[in-house]
Amino acid sequence: MPSGTPQPRFVLVRPQMGENIGAAARAMLNFGLDQMHLVAPRDGWPNPSAVAMASGAGRVLDDAQVSETVVGAVEDCSFVFATTARQRGLTKPIYTPERAMEVARERIAKGEKVGVLFGPERAGLENDDIAVANAIISVPVNPEFASLNLAQCVLLTAYEWRRQTVDTVAETVELAGHDWATAIEMEKLAEHYEQRLDEAGFFYPHTKSDGMKVTLRNLWSRLPLTRADVQMLHGVMRQMVRWKERGD
């Protein structure tokens, strides 16, 4: 059974290849969607090729609903999007996938049912199909090569839905079991290097030494170091000093 999570209904209109249906199911489940509807699949339903391509997303196929017409697939939807890359001569609002899924989220949150139509592989949706829709989704693709594979279009739209409904952190760092170095640990590291470099005559000439020390401390403060990093750098300097002393 479908998860019951509020979500748009993805309607594949007259899909021609079972492999693309399976790949679309996989793309949907990748992003938490499982409400697939099929309109007059060319090779009938169920389709063994779709199952093979779904690769673990078989439950989306198991629960897929089949209709003979587009209207039948979205008859209970209050808002329907149609995906197309071509100008159709129809007066309708055109959304990017991102904006479309934002609108879908807003409407679904109010209790509405939203459908998204995806056309067959050969030529996409026909004007009669798009006439059923309230709005168009147009992916900003290369105008010299605008054709998208069915599963690719499903994946793009599903990804934008996921972005609208799940909080994600844009950038994270995997600390691998270590904490960030504290201010006092960074200060001790700076002191260690400053002392040893001073002994080695690095801060020369004397008139520029204060500025060089400030620059070095500023360098340390810009580095995102963990406690393990700090310990290693202390060890590097200690070993360099021991090596120099042995050389003497």
Side-chain angles (χ1 to χ4, degrees), residues 54-97:
S55 187
R59 70 179 180 86
V60 176
L61 302 179
D62 292 340
D63 295 322
Q65 304 297 306
V66 181
S67 301
E68 289 302 314
T69 65
V70 171
V71 171
V74 297
E75 60 184 1
D76 59 340
C77 294
S78 58
F79 201 89
V80 178
F81 293 99
T83 59
T84 181
R86 294 186 288 123
Q87 296 294 325
R88 299 303 187 119
L90 300 173
T91 302
K92 289 185 185 295
I94 301 173
Y95 297 95
T96 63

Side-chain angles (χ1 to χ4, degrees), residues 102-226:
E102 182 181 10
V103 170
R105 176 182 56 79
E106 293 168 353
R107 288 181 171 275
I108 290 171
K110 297 175 183 178
E112 297 183 40
K113 292 184 178 181
V114 174
V116 184
L117 306 179
F118 299 88
E121 296 88 325
R122 184 179 61 81
L125 294 169
E126 297 178 359
N127 278 7
D128 286 347
D129 305 319
I130 295 174
V132 174
N134 303 97
I136 288 172
I137 298 175
S138 181
V139 179
V141 293
N142 176 5
E144 296 180 2
F145 190 65
S147 177
L148 278 177
N149 173 272
L150 170 59
Q152 290 174 330
C153 191
V154 168
L155 184 142
L156 279 169
T157 310
Y159 167 72
E160 293 296 349
W161 169 257
R162 186 75 172 178
R163 289 185 63 209
Q164 292 296 327
T165 55
V166 176
D167 290 331
T168 57
V169 179
E171 181 177 346
T172 60
V173 176
E174 180 62 55
L175 287 174
H178 298 288
D179 295 327
W180 292 115
T182 63
I184 189 62
E185 288 167 337
M186 293 296 295
E187 176 65 18
K188 294 297 183 183
L189 179 66
E191 290 176 354
H192 184 188
Y193 270 70
E194 186 175 307
Q195 176 189 348
R196 294 304 188 183
L197 290 172
D198 203 5
E199 293 170 356
F202 176 77
F203 299 110
Y204 181 86
H206 179 72
T207 54
K208 294 184 178 181
S209 63
D210 288 344
M212 294 174 69
K213 290 177 181 179
V214 170
T215 299
L216 182 60
R217 284 179 174 264
N218 189 49
L219 180 152
W220 291 122
S221 70
R222 295 200 311 271
L223 295 177
L225 299 179
T226 66

